[in-house]
Amino acid sequence: MPENSNNFRLSLSSLSKTINSLLNKKELNEENLIQIEQWLSFHLNKIRIRKLEDVSIVGEKETEERTKKDGVFIINTAADIILDPGFQNYHNDYTERPEKLNLADLVEESTLNEFNSAFLEALSEKKNTKAEVLLKTGINRQRECVLEFDMLASNTDNNRVIVYYSFKDLQHVHLADFQSIVLNNLPGMDVFLFDQEYRYILAGGKEKEKYNLTNSSFIGKTLFDVYTKQDQRRYFQFYNKAINGEFTEGEVRYKKDVYYIAAAPVKDIEGNTVAGILISQNVTKDKILEAKLIKSKEEAQRANKAKSIFLANMSHEIRTPLNSIIGFTDQLKKTKLDAQQQKFISLINHSSEHLLYLVNEIVFLFKLGMDKVYIEKTSFSIKELLNELADVYKKQAAEKNLEFSMTIDKALPDFVKGDPFRLRQILMNLLVNALKYTEQGRVAMSTKVSRKTKKMVDLVFEVTDTGIGIEEKDLPYIFDVFEQGNKRTEKIRGGAGLGLGICKKLVTLFKGDITVSSKKNEGSTFSVNIPLELSDAKPRKEIEKSYDLDDSLLRGKKILLADDDKHNRLLSEVVLKGWQTDFILVEDGEEALNALKKERFDLVLLDIHMPRKNGVDVVKKVRANNGLNADTPIVALTANALKADINSYLKVGFNDYVIKPFYELELYNKICNILQIENGEKQKPVTKEAIVKEPVTGDTFDVHDLEKTAAGDKQFFNSMIDNFTENAETLLAEFKGGLKNEDWKIIGERAHKAIPSFKFFKLTGIAGALSKIEDLALRDQQFDALPETVNKVSGQIEEIVKQAKAAKI
Ligand code: ADP
């Protein structure tokens, strides 16, 4: 018999003592009765566990005579039940004891005499007596039971009598039996209760039969008696942690199977760990399934990776010919073309730019999916970013005759830390959509501070339109990235369907969220909530000079270009020739190295992916060799737009990079900046801020484009100029009238309307100034500043009108 049964006996006798001392209390009120009841319930449960251990060791036939008690009633001397802790466990219709219930009522009539005489004898002689009765344990149900009137523990002065009851029949409905049946038949699983010496108090479960072990192979023995040394090592930690009060779980291999093990401490009412419980479940089948799943997941990941690599390569392959298409179209535009040819060129231009946009978007989406996009943390001015957006989209809205407004919360901080490029990308996507899906009415953007702490600010950006709206049933799918076979998303998306998917992923990277509310035919509101760190550092501005292609500033410069693509080489030849440079073209890295050994260059343009030696290796060699060109500026020409890769190029010694496909002017500007070419008149550095806030003035009337468009058609040429001058003069008159009447609204509206016609003649300075007037009059309502600005712009317009009239033929 397990040692612990000693403890059990002790606890039973202390139970009697405690009941006795409780009953001796003079006044037993409702509150301490409840306390006693709870206390007894707990201890009787303990007793039941001990009983299981002692007499009904699970699965084995009970032979020992049952002497242990199943429970206790406390009654008064008239046999009315006062407490019956846990009796409902044995009675199937006894959720709550009736208010007044006599113990005799629970005794079957045929055994009532037995009950009465034992009780009377106990009371009159103050001695312990027993009665064998049939106790009612449900409707039409009774069980053989021994009642013991414990007069030694009772207190008749206090009108309390303790009556223990023990059922004689174990095989009938007995909760503990049910527990034992369940415990014994657990399929695929074993369960053990063990004491602090790692000794099994209780064992159950069917799994061990597989290894010819029974419950009695465990009971009374320790972990170290049952298992081999090797297996002990596997199991020990679980047992040990459980009796030290910790829960553990894990997997153990036993013989040929795998078992999930979970072990937990068993605590007493004071919270002390008194034992441990461990379950061991055969999970071999699950493991096999899991291994299969892992394998197929790995295969899917491999396939996905292969797909991504394929896509990255393909995008590279697509960009390379695109570089030629865009570049040659650019060159073609410079030649003499008739009107129809111009139109065709412009179509090719549009289509190739659109194709480039799509390739970029797809690659970007894949990069997002591969977690290759990072949110940078730089200090930037959020107001400036919003103003830039307003400038761009106000113009686009005007072209569609839509109203556009931008409201900015006064509480917006000056500088924040984050990724301005990605934030702009999100907002641009929403603004582009709003304009795309709206034919009438307005597009409005607002920025609000929703929460501000010492370190952080939560910003809410809202883009609202009065466009076609989105059907309610489509709303839940609107941010899903287009997936093949997803009919639902396929149907919603008219375009490529990438923009909102990208937005959602980017917003998530910012740890923000994006929502939409929309009504079919009424319009939509997209709302983006983004937390940003506050910053007091003024952002560093990149000052890049801008150069004019016509100025031949690179004349005579010695340039080496290496590119393995025949068409791109041809394009470069045309471009470099056009700039009047002294250039050498080579086909791969080896050739480039040879050329660099022979003579000194002012600049090197290197493709990255080339046969024999790639661009990166060339740069490494040139920088390490300390030769003729050790510090010659080298620019990477790459179709690879991954930031991580570009950083790696800069690290090995490239000075800068240009992403293919590039525009001639872009490359020209980059080279001029790197070579720090002096720029005569246009030398004044133009910062981004300057472009936004102070539009370049000093426009001149340029008929270059009009000449091309007119393609020799004089009448058309002149009528276009007439049209322009008429509009400009009307505007001047309206400005005059507006100033006189202080009708700022008219001034703002007319300025807005005139912008496209100035833009047509590339009068960007005046167009910018008109847009400023519009802002002052309509958005900011800063009327004080208006007269001066309007007068200044009017003067410039008058000058332009003169030039335009003179340009007529
Ligand atoms: P795309 O515009 O290229 O189709 P997006 O992912 O940007 O891809 O948008 C997905 C779809 O959501 C669009 O095709 C359109 O049906 C709907 N949608 C997005 N923005 C708006 C809007 N402002 N108004 C109405 N529908 C919109």
Side-chain angles (χ1 to χ4, degrees), residues 419-679:
D419 194 327
F421 182 75
R422 299 291 172 216
L423 180 60
R424 189 182 293 118
Q425 196 177 0
I426 296 168
L427 300 176
M428 271 167 58
N429 261 317
L430 299 181
L431 286 163
V432 165
N433 277 350
L435 288 169
K436 183 157 77 175
Y437 297 108
T438 306
E439 292 308 323
Q440 262 179 13
R442 64 187 176 87
V443 168
M445 176 165 175
S446 74
T447 305
K448 280 195 201 103
V449 173
S450 69
R451 202 172 69 101
K452 197 170 177 182
T453 64
K454 264 193 183 150
K455 286 195 172 157
M456 301 284 299
V457 61
D458 281 356
L459 297 182
V460 183
F461 304 94
E462 256 180 22
V463 177
T464 302
D465 64 58
T466 54
I468 57 168
I470 302 161
E471 288 205 28
E472 202 179 333
K473 66 177 171 39
D474 293 333
L475 282 175
Y477 307 95
I478 208 80
F479 298 109
D480 291 356
V481 174
F482 173 78
E483 275 173 19
Q484 214 176 5
N486 186 344
K487 291 279 174 281
R488 163 70 74 195
T489 37
E490 237 170 90
K491 204 172 74 62
I492 308 170
R493 295 179 191 282
L498 299 168
L500 289 180
I502 287 179
C503 272
K504 168 91 185 168
K505 291 199 167 190
L506 282 176
V507 169
T508 314
L509 283 180
F510 270 102
K511 300 194 169 54
D513 58 61
I514 179 166
T515 51
V516 56
S517 66
S518 183
K519 251 202 171 138
K520 192 80 193 146
N521 299 326
E522 286 185 20
S524 319
T525 297
F526 285 84
S527 178
V528 174
N529 195 331
I530 282 181
L532 288 166
E533 259 178 58
L534 291 171
S535 158
D536 38 36
K538 224 180 155 78
R540 205 168 50 86
K541 281 222 168 60
E542 270 177 41
I543 299 180
E544 273 207 356
K545 294 181 188 174
S546 66
Y547 296 83
D548 194 332
L549 259 181
D550 293 340
D551 290 349
S552 309
L553 295 165
L554 294 177
R555 183 182 299 140
K557 293 283 177 209
K558 192 125 195 98
I559 295 181
L560 172 71
L561 180 135
D563 197 324
D564 62 319
D565 186 274
K566 196 164 76 192
H567 300 115
N568 278 337
R569 267 202 319 277
L570 185 61
L571 174 64
S572 307
E573 190 176 343
V574 176
V575 169
L576 293 173
K577 214 180 244 168
W579 298 347
Q580 302 171 41
T581 58
D582 178 8
F583 61 90
I584 291 181
L585 301 179
V586 293
E587 292 181 24
D588 61 43
E590 278 297 345
E591 283 187 18
L593 269 182
N594 285 337
L596 286 163
K597 268 182 214 152
K598 282 189 203 135
E599 59 182 317
R600 196 182 146 74
F601 288 89
D602 292 312
L603 184 98
V604 182
L605 297 167
L606 268 190
D607 184 24
I608 297 285
H609 296 284
M610 289 185 291
R612 298 217 286 167
K613 198 165 239 84
N614 67 32
V616 172
D617 289 341
V618 172
V619 170
K620 280 188 190 160
K621 267 233 150 79
V622 174
R623 297 296 186 227
N625 278 353
N626 231 351
L628 274 173
N629 288 292
D631 48 351
T632 301
I634 306 180
V635 176
L637 296 180
T638 174
N640 188 349
L642 286 187
K643 189 141 193 161
D645 292 340
I646 284 168
N647 283 340
S648 74
Y649 303 155
L650 298 179
K651 249 191 205 148
V652 297
F654 277 100
N655 295 65
D656 212 327
Y657 65 94
V658 174
I659 294 188
K660 284 186 200 170
F662 50 80
Y663 289 90
E664 185 184 352
L665 185 60
E666 181 191 349
L667 184 62
Y668 188 77
N669 263 299
K670 186 135 274 175
I671 295 176
C672 288
N673 268 296
I674 291 176
L675 297 181
Q676 298 179 345
I677 302 278
E678 289 297 319
N679 193 358

Side-chain angles (χ1 to χ4, degrees), residues 9-244:
R9 285 197 194 104
L10 271 180
S11 76
L12 196 64
S13 76
S14 74
L15 179 67
S16 280
K17 272 192 210 142
T18 316
I19 298 176
N20 186 280
S21 73
L22 286 167
L23 293 180
N24 274 335
K25 279 195 167 184
K26 277 271 170 294
E27 273 178 43
L28 274 177
N29 58 23
E30 189 72 8
E31 198 179 319
N32 38 54
L33 275 177
I34 290 171
Q35 269 176 1
I36 296 173
E37 176 140 30
Q38 283 172 349
W39 192 88
L40 283 174
S41 259
F42 175 76
H43 283 277
L44 285 166
N45 264 329
K46 262 188 160 177
I47 291 172
R48 261 204 304 284
I49 291 175
R50 296 299 179 203
K51 273 168 111 57
L52 264 176
E53 169 203 322
D54 278 3
V55 294
S56 57
I57 289 170
V58 186
E60 290 174 19
K61 264 216 145 94
E62 183 189 3
T63 48
E64 195 183 326
E65 198 203 331
R66 286 184 48 94
T67 53
K68 305 295 179 286
K69 285 109 177 113
D70 285 299
V72 64
F73 291 113
I74 297 178
I75 58 176
N76 62 17
T77 44
D80 295 326
I81 299 174
I82 295 158
L83 293 178
D84 58 351
F87 186 61
Q88 66 265 50
N89 286 338
Y90 302 105
H91 196 294
N92 67 357
D93 190 29
Y94 194 85
T95 44
E96 212 176 316
R97 172 163 42 89
E99 202 163 290
K100 194 163 158 57
L101 181 70
N102 197 282
L103 184 53
D105 297 336
L106 288 177
V107 175
E108 170 57 37
E109 247 187 80
S110 57
T111 54
L112 208 50
N113 278 345
E114 288 259 3
F115 170 78
N116 284 336
S117 56
F119 186 36
L120 281 178
E121 191 183 347
L123 281 181
S124 56
E125 305 195 11
K126 287 212 174 4
K127 71 172 204 191
N128 291 3
T129 60
K130 283 185 189 180
E132 285 199 17
V133 298
L134 284 169
L135 202 66
K136 293 179 186 165
T137 55
I139 300 164
N140 295 331
R141 222 179 62 188
Q142 60 232 357
R143 291 173 67 183
E144 276 185 58
C145 175
V146 178
L147 296 179
E148 291 176 60
F149 299 95
D150 184 351
M151 298 314 289
L152 296 177
S154 302
N155 182 337
T156 39
D157 295 345
N158 216 349
N159 198 13
R160 301 285 182 260
V161 176
I162 298 171
V163 192
Y164 290 111
Y165 57 92
S166 325
F167 293 110
K168 294 180 75 180
D169 51 337
L170 246 195
Q171 65 275 50
H172 287 133
V173 185
H174 189 294
L175 186 71
D177 286 351
F178 274 141
Q179 286 171 342
S180 70
I181 290 164
V182 171
L183 203 61
N184 190 40
N185 289 291
L186 287 173
M189 183 190 269
D190 290 321
V191 49
F192 304 101
L193 186 70
F194 49 94
D195 67 14
Q196 277 158 319
E197 274 82 49
Y198 307 89
R199 191 179 299 279
Y200 296 99
I201 302 167
L202 181 74
K206 259 196 144 17
E207 182 64 15
K208 55 179 121 44
E209 288 175 9
K210 233 176 157 172
Y211 309 105
N212 291 327
L213 292 169
T214 62
N215 292 329
S216 49
S217 317
F218 289 87
I219 309 292
K221 294 185 184 139
T222 69
L223 165 71
F224 313 105
D225 303 329
V226 179
Y227 291 107
T228 64
K229 280 240 148 41
Q230 198 186 10
D231 292 328
Q232 282 167 31
R233 271 199 292 278
R234 290 179 180 155
Y235 286 117
F236 181 75
Q237 53 152 333
F238 297 104
Y239 286 81
N240 190 40
K241 287 211 168 133
I243 56 183
N244 281 307

